[in-house]
Amino acid sequence: MTYALDDLTLRERCATALAEHPSTNRFVATAVKPNDPLADVARTVERMVFEASFGLDEATMIAEYGPYEEQSFFFLVIDRETGLPAGAARAIDGGGKTLDDAPDMIGVELSEIVRQHGMYDGRIWDYATLAVLPEYRASRDSLVVSGMLYRTFINAGHRASVRHVVCMLDQAAYRNLDMLGCRFTALAGSAPFEYLGSAANRALYIPLEEIARSMGEQAHQLSQPDTGTGRRRPGLRRITARLASQVSSGDDLDPHIVLPGLERRRRPR
């Protein structure tokens, strides 16, 4: 396990994944288990983005996420044009880091958090990390890469029969998901707090089924004639509506997503 693959190894592992992926789309996405060679590609992307944004170096990443490696699923978007990763994310089974760290951060006992959000039954995933490399943030590619990561998470969550999603998001990640219509509830009504280099981190909850539904509603609302509020530029409004619809439905995204880390076993003949 490493958070610091060299460029040659990154390129070789991405090339292998692209050769196995039937899609000819520019961006392809995959979900893998923690021992898959692509998991270290995702870890390296996590570290690159978090170190630049929050000062979290390899040692810090190992200290913070090492205890959760065996419970992690990694989501990776690869750019076929460059042959390199564009973004990565991680889910931690069982509520992971959010349910371990949030109680102290927001001053509410875990038992009370569970009670308020009805998390007694059903599988819980922590949407623990979301990292898009800087070169994909200055254009519409940022939303495309993020959107593929969101849709891969939804597909993987459905495959794994996840019911509840918790997460701790920095301001930028929260803003992007809110723009696409993902309607989180603040964990136990908490306010933003400082956490791992983020000055305005939020602890959040949403049922898995609500993610796609709320994004679908957002897509429908944005597709209606503008009422003149001026909240979004027309071009951005159209792009956001289209991506929210795609993430909600999987249209034009699902054919470019594979889930080798969550494949169901075939029955013996």
Side-chain angles (χ1 to χ4, degrees):
M1 183 196 77
T2 181
Y3 285 83
L5 288 179
D6 60 82
D7 289 344
L8 178 60
T9 304
L10 275 176
R11 191 172 292 276
E12 289 175 344
R13 294 191 183 183
C14 288
T16 299
L18 289 172
E20 295 173 350
H21 201 300
S23 169
T24 58
N25 197 54
R26 176 182 175 182
F27 295 107
V28 298
T30 186
V32 297
K33 291 182 178 179
N35 58 347
D36 189 284
L38 287 178
D40 279 344
V41 177
R43 291 184 182 98
T44 300
V45 173
E46 286 180 334
R47 191 269 308 162
M48 292 170 66
V49 172
F50 285 13
E51 187 167 19
S53 300
F54 309 115
L56 306 183
D57 59 13
E58 182 180 13
T60 304
M61 294 296 291
I62 291 172
E64 292 293 332
Y65 294 97
Y68 306 99
E69 293 295 345
E70 292 184 4
Q71 293 79 42
S72 292
F73 291 95
F74 292 91
F75 313 112
L76 182 68
V77 173
I78 304 173
D79 185 345
R80 192 177 294 278
E81 289 187 3
T82 66
L84 290 169
R90 176 197 304 234
I92 302 175
D93 195 21
K97 195 166 177 57
T98 292
L99 293 188
D100 282 346
D101 291 0
D104 288 343
M105 295 294 101
I106 67 176
V108 180
E109 292 292 331
L110 177 59
S111 59
E112 179 61 15
I113 293 172
V114 170
R115 186 194 69 79
Q116 287 195 30
H117 299 285
M119 291 189 285
Y120 296 110
D121 300 313
R123 195 170 190 177
I124 305 170
W125 267 11
D126 175 12
Y127 201 180
T129 67
L130 177 69
V132 177
L133 288 168
E135 54 265 40
Y136 296 94
R137 298 183 205 155
S139 68
R140 68 182 62 183
D141 288 341
S142 172
L143 285 177
V144 174
V145 173
S146 297
M148 290 199 76
L149 289 171
Y150 302 148
R151 183 64 192 180
T152 305
F153 177 88
I154 291 170
N155 288 354
H158 285 151
R159 181 72 61 86
S161 300
V162 173
R163 182 175 175 185
H164 310 282
V165 176
V166 294
C167 57
M168 291 195 285
L169 298 180
D170 68 89
Q171 179 64 25
Y174 175 79
R175 183 178 61 247
N176 287 342
L177 278 162
D178 183 68
M179 181 172 64
L180 291 174
C182 190
R183 300 301 180 227
F184 290 104
T185 299
L187 211 61
S190 56
F193 53 90
E194 184 176 354
Y195 179 74
L196 292 181
S198 170
N201 204 81
R202 288 173 167 85
L204 304 163
Y205 169 82
I206 190 170
L208 179 70
E209 293 295 334
E210 181 68 12
I211 298 175
R213 191 197 66 78
S214 61
M215 286 188 177
E217 288 187 351
Q218 177 79 335
H220 175 73
Q221 180 178 345
L222 292 176
S223 68
Q224 303 305 302
D226 193 353
T227 58
T229 60
R231 293 183 62 189
R232 290 187 177 86
R233 300 188 303 274
L236 180 59
R237 184 184 179 95
R238 287 193 297 271
I239 293 169
T240 304
R242 181 172 183 269
L243 190 59
S245 177
Q246 288 179 322
V247 175
S248 173
S249 66
D251 291 346
D252 298 324
L253 295 183
D254 284 353
H256 315 299
I257 296 172
V258 293
L259 307 175
L262 291 117
E263 291 296 338
R264 300 189 188 277
R265 296 180 60 185
R266 294 182 177 178
R267 293 181 180 178
R269 295 184 178 180

